[in-house]
Amino acid sequence: MSSSPSWQPFLPCNAVCCRYSEIGTKGRNRGSFVRRLEEGLTRALGRSFGQPRFEVERGRIYLYPGAEGALLTEGQISSLRQEIPNLPGISSVSPGWHCPRTLEALEEYVWRTLPTVVEAFLESHPAQGERTYAMRVNRCDKSFPLLAAEVEKRFAEKVLPRWPQLTLDLKAPALRIGVDLRSSGIFVDYERIPGPGGLPAGSGGQALALLSGGIDSPVACYEMIRRGTCVDFVTFHSAPYTPEAGLTKICDLARVLNHFQHRGRVAAVNLLPLQKAVRDRCEEKFRTVLYRRSMMRLASAVASCFGDEALVTGENLGQVASQTLTNMRVIEEASPMMILRPLLVYDKLDIMRVARQIGTLDISQIPVPDSCTVFAPASPATGASLALVKANEERLELPELLRECLRQTTTMSPVNYAAYPLEEAWEAPLPL
């Protein structure tokens, strides 16, 4: 995910203002969410910041680099621009200057840095219509001697005559000076690096996502991660009918998704024993529904090994034959676990937009056959009867087939694609 305008010059900064939005609506448990956010910031920025210091105010976490009085380096600001868009719970971050709570301190810093900022801004915005400016003051400290509008006017009366190329725009300025007036001091910034918002990682429990090589399921994983859920991944293949490239593609998707959380695990289940039996003994039109029901059973077994509390799918109402209301109800009946469908009512173009934003779209569009294409029915049922589906399952030795699939289950490293047997799955309880 990209973050910040490239024209921003390097400025002396002594602090980072980290903003959150939804966490601010929490009550007595707000502190636990803020602590999770501090942990995420430390984990994401640890290599460049070491052990940062934090100060918490309502709606803000101020981050300081190392020792008292230290200034941010260019490398640290670059790290912010790279890592913050991947950190759920953060709405935006600004590198800036924390100064004493006086008008003189505010003016000293602004007039020391603003000429450098304006020069870089004008050079990168040659069109007159793009050269818009505003100072936006947030006056949280009501004892400050000037109102927010008075501070903004005071600076505009000096900025606009000095740089007549600039035009005042209070709604959507291209050049924005942010000023936070708080009882602890004043924070000034020229840049807002957007974060994904939502809730911090780990605040919403653990879930296991059914991750395919398509566009939808990685976006479903991202939306769950953005709600604070730690997501593990399970995928289904049909080796040797499906190529090994399908599993490396899943690992590539998981590696991208793990940028937004802390190391979700990947399990790969060979569905072929079950698929062959369904092909040979069951009605063709029910194959997809029968496959999906067994996927839910197998995913539940893997989830019990990982300690996950729910299943996540990328199902989108009406998109394919298995995703009608009737079929989803029949498929869900086979799962002992709650099934979460964050994309159920999304528009496909919105799903693609998010996939492009988070960096999974190009990977998803690589053409690799997956298990859904193996023995696929010519005319799948869109309104399967639960009674008829169960009657077809009675033709199968379902416990033995599911156990065989679990015996062929592995965990995979998203980093180097190494596979290891998931021995815990061999004896996992089977939901039947």
Side-chain angles (χ1 to χ4, degrees):
M1 294 170 68
S2 63
S3 54
S4 162
S6 58
W7 61 268
Q8 285 281 355
F10 174 65
L11 295 171
C13 299
N14 65 0
V16 179
C17 177
C18 308
R19 303 175 189 87
Y20 54 81
S21 53
E22 188 171 346
I23 295 174
T25 67
K26 304 298 180 184
R28 295 178 183 175
N29 62 343
R30 184 188 304 130
S32 65
F33 285 90
V34 170
R35 284 191 293 275
R36 290 275 191 178
L37 205 48
E38 290 179 1
E39 290 169 5
L41 285 163
T42 301
R43 189 167 57 244
L45 304 173
R47 275 183 290 184
S48 58
F49 278 75
Q51 191 64 36
R53 296 180 294 114
F54 296 104
E55 288 183 8
V56 178
E57 293 191 28
R58 187 177 180 89
R60 303 285 187 271
I61 299 175
Y62 291 103
L63 183 156
Y64 298 92
E68 189 80 29
L71 298 182
L72 274 74
T73 66
E74 285 192 71
Q76 288 171 331
I77 294 177
S78 176
S79 179
L80 286 173
R81 292 173 181 154
Q82 295 240 334
E83 298 295 341
I84 292 305
N86 301 336
L87 192 61
I90 292 288
S91 59
S92 68
V93 157
S94 296
W97 191 262
H98 209 205
C99 61
R101 186 185 146 276
T102 66
L103 186 61
E104 293 75 19
L106 171 62
E107 289 184 326
E108 191 277 331
Y109 179 74
V110 170
W111 293 119
R112 177 158 52 93
T113 55
L114 186 59
T116 302
V117 173
V118 172
E119 181 181 342
F121 173 75
L122 294 175
E123 185 177 343
S124 63
H125 293 73
Q128 185 61 37
E130 297 176 342
R131 294 176 163 183
T132 55
Y133 144 88
M135 172 179 278
R136 306 307 288 157
V137 176
N138 179 31
R139 183 173 173 262
C140 296
D141 176 13
K142 302 308 178 187
S143 67
F144 194 79
L146 296 179
L147 298 176
E150 291 173 332
V151 176
E152 293 170 358
K153 181 181 177 182
R154 181 186 181 96
F155 278 90
E157 287 174 345
K158 297 179 181 179
V159 169
L160 296 174
R162 180 168 177 177
W163 292 286
Q165 308 97 313
L166 298 177
T167 303
L168 189 65
D169 180 355
L170 298 179
K171 291 185 177 179
L175 171 58
R176 178 187 174 284
I177 306 174
V179 177
D180 247 358
L181 302 177
R182 293 182 173 254
S183 56
S184 62
I186 300 174
F187 186 82
V188 188
D189 71 84
Y190 298 99
E191 175 182 12
R192 287 203 174 193
I193 304 167
L199 298 174
S203 62
Q206 292 184 203
L208 179 69
L210 280 71
L211 182 62
S212 74
I215 295 171
D216 297 352
S217 59
V219 175
C221 294
Y222 170 73
E223 295 293 8
M224 291 304 302
I225 293 168
R226 211 168 66 87
R227 299 306 304 163
T229 305
C230 293
V231 176
D232 292 314
F233 313 100
V234 63
T235 192
F236 296 89
H237 62 97
S238 305
Y241 287 79
T242 51
E244 189 175 337
L247 293 178
T248 59
K249 180 180 178 181
I250 294 298
C251 288
D252 291 341
L253 290 169
R255 189 166 62 249
V256 172
L257 292 166
N258 278 345
H259 290 158
F260 303 97
Q261 63 171 4
H262 188 54
R263 285 182 279 180
R265 294 159 289 186
V266 180
V269 182
N270 191 341
L271 195 63
L272 188 62
L274 185 284
Q275 288 178 300
K276 284 182 174 179
V278 169
R279 176 199 63 187
D280 295 340
R281 303 175 195 175
C282 300
E283 294 179 70
E284 181 182 351
K285 64 181 179 181
F286 294 134
R287 282 181 191 172
T288 301
V289 172
L290 290 166
Y291 293 165
R292 293 288 295 176
R293 280 171 62 88
S294 286
M295 285 179 180
M296 296 303 167
R297 295 183 175 108
L298 293 164
S300 297
V302 173
S304 70
C305 298
F306 286 168
D308 296 318
E309 304 170 65
L311 303 181
V312 177
T313 75
E315 289 169 306
N316 183 249
L317 187 59
Q319 188 174 132
V320 295
S322 66
Q323 295 175 16
T324 63
L325 280 178
T326 301
N327 281 356
M328 283 193 290
R329 179 179 61 83
V330 171
I331 292 165
E332 185 176 65
E333 193 272 343
S335 173
M337 301 190 75
M338 176 170 54
I339 298 177
L340 306 175
R341 301 179 176 96
L343 305 187
L344 191 65
V345 296
Y346 274 44
D347 183 274
K348 185 67 176 184
L349 293 179
D350 289 333
I351 296 173
M352 294 180 70
R353 174 183 56 78
V354 177
R356 185 178 296 109
Q357 176 187 349
I358 65 175
T360 59
L361 183 62
D362 288 345
I363 301 172
S364 294
Q365 290 181 326
I366 298 171
V368 181
D370 60 23
S371 61
C372 294
T373 64
V374 176
F375 316 135
S379 299
T382 57
S385 159
L386 179 58
L388 290 176
V389 168
K390 284 189 169 184
N392 273 263
E393 284 184 337
E394 289 175 1
R395 305 175 188 178
L396 305 169
E397 289 84 28
L398 208 48
E400 291 79 1
L401 290 167
L402 295 176
R403 189 63 67 193
E404 179 58 30
C405 293
L406 290 174
R407 275 195 289 268
Q408 298 185 42
T409 297
T410 60
T411 57
M412 298 194 67
S413 165
V415 177
N416 60 16
Y417 313 125
Y420 308 93
L422 182 60
E423 295 182 6
E424 298 95 321
W426 299 353
E427 300 301 326
L430 288 177
L432 294 170

